[in-house]
Structures are given as structure tokens and as C-alpha cells.
Amino acid sequence: QVQLVESGGGSVQAGGSLRLSCAASVRTFSSYVMVWFRQAPGKEREFVGGISSNGGSTSYADSVKGRFTISRDNARNTLYLQMNSLKPEDTAVYYCAAGRYYSSNYYNYAYWGQGTQVTVSS
């Protein structure tokens, strides 16, 4: 069983930055692929990006590439999402998720956090 808790969301003006964290309560955190998704009101859950189990490989959606950075600290069982140059269209609830295999499809992931709200004003 994997429990995930996101933190770090909030309100920021366009052009600003936020750093989200996702704390995992599992001994084998380093064996999981970790990803971030987001969901805006009235829209489907959208893949943001992911990181391999050892942190050596990352991938991003085109909409955030060059602005967002995913990292992880396996010693601290924590996943991060650094968001820079935020835009109003980044407003959404952000979720972290854990899985054994990498995919950009949300149904691939069995373990999810509760989400944290990010609001970007223009």
C-alpha cells in the first residue's frame, strides 16, 4: 500500500513560481515510477510529467516543457514539481501518482494523492 500526500499548492500571479511536494509513506518508494497529473474544472485529468524510479529519466507534457521540473529524493521518499513561469492555464488541482511502469495514461496508476490546488491569476 502506498499513501501519497501533496503539499505546496497555493495562489500565485502569472509569471510566478511554486514548488509542489509529494510525500510517500512506503518503504520501497525507490521502486516506483512517479508522475504528476492535473485536473482543471470541467476538464479531464491531464498528464504533466513523470520521473523514473531512480530519477535518471524525466518526461513532460508539451504544455509544461521548459517551465516545470520534476525531481525526487528517494532517501526522503519525496517527489517534487518545480513550476516556473506559471500561466493562468496552469490553474488546476495537481495530483501525484505512483506506479510500477511508466505511462502518461492516468488509469495506469493505482496510487494517488488527494491533490493540491494551484491557482494562477493574470
Side-chain angles (χ1 to χ4, degrees):
Q1 186 73 11
V2 181
Q3 292 186 324
L4 303 172
V5 179
E6 301 96 338
S7 61
S11 297
V12 65
Q13 288 191 325
S17 298
L18 282 174
R19 188 194 197 201
L20 306 185
S21 298
C22 171
S25 59
V26 61
R27 289 197 306 173
T28 56
F29 177 72
S30 61
S31 67
Y32 287 89
V33 170
M34 298 297 298
V35 293
W36 288 97
F37 281 80
R38 66 186 181 185
Q39 189 165 20
K43 295 188 177 181
E44 292 189 354
R45 196 162 292 194
E46 175 190 19
F47 174 76
V48 173
I51 188 166
S52 60
S53 58
N54 67 1
S57 178
T58 55
S59 65
Y60 301 92
D62 287 344
S63 58
V64 307
K65 201 172 293 183
R67 300 187 297 121
F68 289 13
T69 302
I70 296 174
S71 60
R72 66 190 296 163
D73 184 341
N74 285 345
R76 296 177 183 270
N77 282 14
T78 304
L79 172 74
Y80 302 101
L81 178 64
Q82 178 67 44
M83 305 185 293
N84 298 329
S85 302
L86 282 161
K87 304 175 181 179
E89 51 263 45
D90 294 319
T91 295
V93 177
Y94 283 71
Y95 299 89
C96 62
R100 291 296 190 181
Y101 305 101
Y102 174 78
S103 173
S104 61
N105 294 315
Y106 69 87
Y107 50 79
N108 181 69
Y109 298 94
Y111 306 108
W112 292 83
Q114 82 289 351
T116 185
Q117 176 71 46
V118 171
T119 303
V120 184
S121 58
S122 57

